[in-house]
Amino acid sequence: MGKINRRAFFRILKNQYFSSLIVFQVLPQKSLAFIGNTFRKAKKTSSAAYRLVHVNATASPYITLYKNTAGVFFKQPTQPTARPASDAYGVSFGADGTYMAAAHSGTPYVTIYKRAGDAYTNLADPTGGLPAGNANGCSFTPDGVYLAVAHVTPPRITIYKRTGDAFAKLADPDVIPTATATGCAFSADGVYLAVSHGTSPRITIYKRTGDTFTKLANPATLPAGGSNGCAFSPDGTYLAVAHATNPRIAIYKRSGDVFTMLADPAVIPTSDGNGCAFSNDGTYLAVAHTSTPRVTIYKRSGDTFTKLADPADLPGGTGTSCMFSYDDKYLAVSHLTAAPRLIIYERSGDTFTKIADPDIAPPAGGGYGVAFAYTTT
């Protein structure tokens, strides 16, 4: 498959005891964007159960939830109300899994849900202004107070603040991204917000002070091609950017407000990077990309990222996004073309082994996003 465009690439969030995984699909001609990811340490519990949610852009209902029982994901009886009315491109959870946002095409461009048990109920649209165009990704801060939405038209990044169940738009940042925003990610402390986009500088980083987001100086070295997604490490020290053109993954190390690009991994992804995700302990970095093996996994030692052996079973089409569960037990990769358009690996040490597919595969179309989340109920 040739180069895929990038108008929607996603990244995702999580929570405490139970884990939810969300996969987004859009029509093949749509572009990709990654939604930001936020990290929070998961509490260990012997009764942990994982949930998986699939979002489809080719046909209603667009969002499908799954639950994990004994290592297998099954479609759960309770499904979200008021699904997005059009292609879904990204998803994000607040830290305790109470709130979930879906980025999609068509007004209102972002749909926000509140969870009670297994039920997700649609909340009122945000006040103060909706995103100005089709949304490609979204990201909550870990405390669920701020929600950023990456979208097509200026200001290209729209930020909301939550009070109770109400979301109100904040003033736009002082400097907006230079092109369509393809994804966004908050750092775990909620201080930094990174936005990936197609033209130079290809990554725009903001620092939050109260409700004000101020653009930082661009990194001295920029991603080599249009950026499709970004992800912070759990401690906020590293920022990875998946992009087109060699080396296809750019990794920055933060010192204060300065982001410095590290040396490229010795082995780079084989094709355009479409999304990336750090493990919750910051040890692993996964990159979803276009051609085989379609997912490349690195292990970090200090500032060095070393490629691990490919999994025995690879995604069946272009890798579009990836996400670790909070306890790092699972790595999910969404992909195009072949069913099930979602592949889930179980990690043992540095080995990633495919588990059984969900009992009901995601609807036909391209898988464009995945998300895990933990909840206490």
Side-chain angles (χ1 to χ4, degrees):
M1 177 176 291
K3 180 187 293 187
I4 55 179
N5 57 5
R6 43 193 129 345
R7 220 192 64 209
F9 250 104
F10 341 106
R11 217 142 233 111
I12 297 97
L13 272 95
K14 11 227 163 157
N15 242 265
Q16 274 190 331
Y17 296 115
F18 299 123
S19 159
S20 298
L21 166 63
I22 298 190
V23 181
F24 285 86
Q25 291 193 310
V26 301
L27 292 169
Q29 63 266 32
K30 293 290 184 180
S31 50
L32 325 166
F34 236 170
I35 145 178
N37 59 8
T38 306
F39 297 85
R40 174 172 172 171
K41 197 69 175 178
K43 296 181 180 179
K44 297 184 182 299
T45 170
S46 59
S47 59
Y50 297 82
R51 298 178 189 162
L52 176 152
V53 184
H54 167 266
V55 178
N56 162 52
T58 60
S60 181
Y62 302 111
I63 298 178
T64 306
L65 293 91
Y66 297 85
K67 260 189 178 178
N68 180 297
T69 302
V72 178
F73 286 87
F74 295 91
K75 183 177 178 181
Q76 70 174 48
T78 305
Q79 299 295 316
T81 61
R83 280 107 160 180
S86 189
D87 299 345
Y89 295 102
V91 66
S92 183
F93 288 97
D96 62 0
T98 299
Y99 298 96
M100 179 180 75
H104 54 84
S105 63
T107 185
Y109 306 113
V110 62
T111 298
I112 306 172
Y113 300 89
K114 185 174 183 179
R115 183 189 62 83
D118 289 343
Y120 286 83
T121 301
N122 178 237
L123 296 179
D125 293 337
T127 60
L130 298 175
N134 291 343
N136 294 327
C138 53
S139 178
F140 272 106
T141 53
D143 59 8
V145 172
Y146 297 94
L147 170 65
V149 183
H151 53 87
V152 173
T153 51
R156 305 187 181 102
I157 188 73
T158 297
I159 306 168
Y160 298 98
K161 184 175 183 179
R162 181 183 61 81
T163 302
D165 292 341
F167 289 78
K169 182 182 181 298
L170 299 179
D172 295 332
D174 58 337
V175 180
I176 66 172
T178 57
T180 291
T182 55
C184 55
F186 275 105
S187 59
D189 59 6
V191 172
Y192 299 96
L193 171 65
V195 183
S196 57
H197 49 89
T199 62
S200 184
R202 306 187 183 98
I203 187 73
T204 297
I205 307 169
Y206 299 96
K207 185 174 184 179
R208 182 182 63 82
T209 302
D211 293 341
T212 301
F213 289 77
T214 303
K215 182 184 179 299
L216 298 179
N218 294 330
T221 306
L222 302 177
S227 297
N228 295 325
C230 52
F232 279 98
S233 63
D235 61 3
T237 299
Y238 300 95
L239 171 65
V241 183
H243 61 82
T245 312
N246 287 350
R248 306 182 180 113
I249 186 71
I251 307 171
Y252 296 92
K253 185 174 184 179
R254 183 182 62 82
S255 177
D257 293 340
V258 177
F259 289 76
T260 302
M261 186 181 286
L262 299 178
D264 297 334
V267 180
I268 64 173
T270 57
S271 52
D272 289 354
N274 297 324
C276 54
F278 279 98
S279 61
N280 188 52
D281 63 3
T283 299
Y284 301 96
L285 171 65
V287 183
H289 50 89
T290 301
S291 60
T292 189
R294 305 188 181 101
V295 63
T296 296
I297 306 168
Y298 298 96
K299 185 173 184 178
R300 183 182 63 82
S301 178
D303 293 341
T304 301
F305 289 76
T306 302
K307 182 185 180 298
L308 298 179
D310 295 332
D313 295 287
L314 300 177
T318 292
T320 57
S321 65
C322 52
M323 181 55 56
F324 286 90
S325 63
Y326 253 102
D327 57 3
D328 299 332
K329 180 177 182 179
Y330 296 109
L331 169 66
V333 182
S334 61
H335 60 86
L336 303 183
T337 313
R341 294 166 290 279
L342 162 69
I343 189 167
I344 306 170
Y345 299 99
E346 184 171 358
R347 184 184 63 85
S348 177
D350 294 341
T351 301
F352 290 78
T353 302
K354 180 184 179 296
I355 65 170
D357 295 331
D359 63 331
I360 299 175
Y368 279 79
V370 287
F372 280 101
Y374 285 82
T375 63
T376 57
T377 58

